[in-house]
């Protein structure tokens, strides 16, 4: 557990990491801690930082579990990430991104900013048109920001 300045109620707030599953989320949720897993997914609305994977609820970001009830029968579970800000790319920053889309000769990469970044398949070191990399969606890349403009998306070059 991370030490906090103000103590939190253990029953309603628990710190979770990406990959923590529904048992950890539902146990810390004040909404339905006694519910079974089948009724849990039907009584909860999935919010920010949480996703449903088949019949499991999984945290996708680190933070504190929070719940808000919108009506008497359903409520929303989400992850509160205090102090998290949107990344603004700067020239020559090194970033870790996730490939979210691929086109003919380029990829769209999520770098945690307000917009995605573009990564050309030909900007890798030692790459030619014949031996360019074939990245799948979900691949993690380590890259450098080479073009920044407030009007267009950032461009990346793999390091």
């Amino acid at each position: 557990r991370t030490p906090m300045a103000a103590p939190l109620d253990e029953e309603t707030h628990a710190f979770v990491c990406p990959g923590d599953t529904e048992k950890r989320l539902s146990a810390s949720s004040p909404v339905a801690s006694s519910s079974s897993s089948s009724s849990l997914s039907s009584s909860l609305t999935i919010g920010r930082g949480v996703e449903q994977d088949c019949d499991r609820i999984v945290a996708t970001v680190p933070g504190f579990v929070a719940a808000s009830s919108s009506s008497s029968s359903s409520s929303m579970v989400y992850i509160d990430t205090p102090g998290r800000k949107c990344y603004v790319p700067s020239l020559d920053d090194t970033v870790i991104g996730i490939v979210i889309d691929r086109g003919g000769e380029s990829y769209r990469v999520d770098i945690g900013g307000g917009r995605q970044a573009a990564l050309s398949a030909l900007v890798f070191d030692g790459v030619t048109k014949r031996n360019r990399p074939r990245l799948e969606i979900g691949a993690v890349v380590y890259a450098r920001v080479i073009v920044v403009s407030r009007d267009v998306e950032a461009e990346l070059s793999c390091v």
Side-chain angles (χ1 to χ4, degrees):
R1 294 203 182 260
T2 307
M4 299 289 293
L8 296 172
D9 182 5
E10 292 292 328
E11 293 179 9
T12 59
H13 293 83
F15 187 80
V16 292
C17 293
D20 283 349
T21 58
E22 90 179 59
K23 289 181 183 177
R24 179 95 187 255
L25 292 172
S26 63
S28 59
S29 171
V31 184
S33 59
S34 61
S35 298
S36 67
S37 64
S38 61
S39 66
L40 177 68
S41 58
S42 64
S43 66
L44 292 179
T45 302
I46 305 300
R48 174 177 33 101
V50 182
E51 68 181 25
Q52 187 169 2
D53 180 27
C54 296
D55 61 344
R56 299 182 315 147
I57 297 174
V58 180
T60 58
V61 295
F64 294 95
V65 177
S68 64
S69 56
S70 57
S71 68
S72 61
S73 63
S74 70
S75 60
M76 181 170 75
V77 158
Y78 61 95
I79 306 297
D80 184 21
T81 52
R84 183 172 181 196
K85 297 180 181 177
C86 186
Y87 168 68
V88 178
S90 297
L91 192 62
D92 289 332
D93 279 356
T94 52
V95 295
I96 296 175
I98 300 172
V99 176
I100 58 172
D101 191 23
R102 48 188 242 192
E105 300 243 342
S106 65
Y107 301 96
R108 292 261 176 257
V109 180
D110 180 11
I111 57 173
R115 297 182 186 174
Q116 290 100 21
L119 174 65
S120 173
L122 299 176
V123 295
F124 288 80
D125 287 337
V127 170
T128 63
K129 281 192 172 194
R130 181 173 251 191
N131 69 348
R132 66 178 185 222
R134 307 233 188 271
L135 300 177
E136 296 295 324
I137 294 176
V140 178
V141 294
Y142 180 65
R144 180 177 313 273
V145 179
I146 57 172
V147 175
V148 176
S149 173
R150 52 174 233 207
D151 299 324
V152 296
E153 61 193 11
E155 289 186 31
L156 303 176
S157 170
C158 270
V159 179

